[in-house]
Amino acid sequence: MRKNIAILSTVVNFDLYQKSSPLFPKGLPKYVIDGRNGMHAMDSIRYMFKKLKDQHIDWLIMADEDVLFIDSKLVFSLIEKMEAGNYSVCGVRDGGVIPHRIQNPYGINTFFSIINFKEISDLWNEKEVLKHQYILKDEFSDDLTILQGDFSKESLFEPYYCFYFWLRRKGKKFLFLNATVPFEDDHITNLVFDFDGNPMLYHTWYARSYGSNEKHTKRIDTIFDHVVKVDRGMADEPIIFKDPTYASKKYCKKQWQRIKSKLSSLIK
């Protein structure tokens, strides 16, 4: 099964990726979307399906560069669990679990997830997906009483929610993972568990600040040096994708939206 599994990271800080990627699951093809030109969130997901559609991937692990695996082998048992239970997506809810993420609990945060890439890519329709950035009152039947943190069922905070809402409206099953804040002196980093409650990874957040902000650099290095007790070894070189026209297209789109807004106000 492993030959059909790959791992993808959208990277804004390659210095941090060089340190964290040796902790990633071993023996898998590694892909990187270069996000230094601003590509992230839903734009990264759209680009992902474009670039990976012909790579013969069944299961795709998505992990940011500020994810530090404690036991990366647990992803394989997670995939077995997903396959046996007909789950299409697993990850941590973006509300109600992580204290500083109080957004929509019906979607996940993309810092770490696993998706049935083959199944979803067969369904993928970009125009259709983008129409799903809305939420209807009580349309999903999740038992949210088990969540201990704050959340907003109406939140549309992240533009990538449409991807997950689209999948849920197609009846696809989600396996939600639990997370906690494990350190008394670090209220940002989260510890994520697999479905059996085994510690699997830390998510440190603030990847962009690593190396430029003293507070966050020291905080993340503390986890590298004193918490993650694994053999990092050498990471395989990833295949890197970058859209060289993304930043200019994004700029032109924003300018055009401003022009249309001004024209609309003048007509009124």
Side-chain angles (χ1 to χ4, degrees):
M1 183 174 68
R2 291 194 185 187
K3 66 180 179 179
N4 298 323
I5 304 172
I7 187 164
L8 172 74
S9 305
T10 298
V11 177
V12 296
N13 190 324
F14 277 83
D15 289 337
L16 181 55
Y17 180 78
Q18 289 298 318
K19 293 187 68 173
S20 64
S21 57
L23 303 172
F24 284 10
K26 301 293 190 293
L28 303 181
K30 291 182 173 65
Y31 298 96
V32 162
I33 293 175
D34 187 337
R36 289 175 295 185
N37 59 1
M39 180 178 284
H40 68 290
M42 191 60 207
D43 287 341
S44 177
I45 291 174
R46 294 160 66 186
Y47 194 56
M48 168 185 82
F49 280 103
K50 177 182 178 181
K51 302 303 289 188
L52 297 183
K53 64 179 180 179
D54 296 322
Q55 299 301 319
H56 308 291
I57 298 168
D58 290 338
W59 295 92
L60 183 66
I61 303 162
M62 299 166 67
D64 290 346
E65 71 268 37
D66 51 7
V67 166
L68 279 58
F69 280 95
I70 303 168
D71 188 350
S72 63
K73 296 187 297 296
L74 293 177
V75 300
F76 300 113
S77 57
L78 256 179
I79 291 172
E80 290 174 0
K81 169 80 171 179
M82 292 177 69
E83 194 167 33
N86 198 30
Y87 290 100
S88 300
V89 177
C90 89
V92 179
R93 295 181 189 268
D94 204 30
V97 180
I98 296 171
H100 65 273
R101 296 301 301 187
I102 58 173
Q103 307 304 329
N104 202 302
Y106 297 127
I108 67 167
N109 190 286
T110 56
F111 70 82
F112 169 80
S113 64
I114 301 174
I115 64 172
N116 186 330
F117 187 80
K118 184 179 186 304
E119 174 193 51
I120 297 172
S121 60
D122 286 344
L123 298 172
W124 176 252
N125 182 317
E126 182 176 312
K127 290 183 178 179
E128 180 184 331
V129 171
L130 295 176
K131 294 177 181 177
H132 283 259
Q133 189 68 356
Y134 66 89
I135 192 78
L136 301 177
K137 185 177 180 180
D138 298 326
E139 70 171 306
F140 302 123
S141 59
D142 305 33
D143 180 11
L144 302 181
T145 62
I146 61 174
L147 302 181
Q148 299 181 358
D150 295 331
F151 56 84
S152 170
K153 293 188 290 184
E154 294 78 32
S155 173
L156 297 175
F157 181 75
E158 293 290 358
Y160 56 70
Y161 285 162
C162 61
F163 175 55
Y164 300 108
F165 294 163
W166 169 71
L167 287 171
R168 299 198 64 164
R169 288 169 182 141
K170 284 190 169 292
K172 299 306 176 183
K173 291 175 63 178
F174 281 47
L175 177 63
F176 291 108
L177 303 178
N178 194 22
T180 188
V181 177
F183 307 119
E184 292 184 1
D185 58 348
D186 179 354
H187 300 288
I188 299 173
T189 298
N190 309 124
L191 173 61
V192 178
F193 304 90
D194 74 353
F195 63 92
D196 281 329
N198 300 305
M200 183 170 56
L201 60 89
Y202 290 103
H203 182 218
T204 66
W205 303 87
Y206 291 93
R208 192 181 300 274
S209 298
Y210 185 78
S212 60
N213 179 285
E214 182 179 358
K215 171 188 172 182
H216 292 300
T217 302
K218 183 177 179 180
R219 182 178 57 81
I220 295 171
D221 279 340
T222 297
I223 300 173
F224 270 121
D225 296 336
H226 302 293
V227 180
V228 183
K229 305 295 184 182
V230 298
D231 179 14
R232 299 178 198 173
M234 293 291 293
D236 298 327
E237 288 298 316
I239 297 172
I240 299 177
F241 301 121
K242 183 173 183 176
D243 183 349
T245 64
Y246 176 79
S248 58
K249 287 188 296 186
K250 198 76 171 178
Y251 174 79
C252 291
K253 185 177 180 180
K254 286 183 178 179
Q255 292 299 107
W256 175 236
Q257 292 297 330
R258 289 173 182 170
I259 292 170
K260 287 201 300 183
S261 178
K262 287 182 180 179
L263 289 174
S264 178
S265 63
L266 289 172
I267 292 172
K268 291 179 181 179

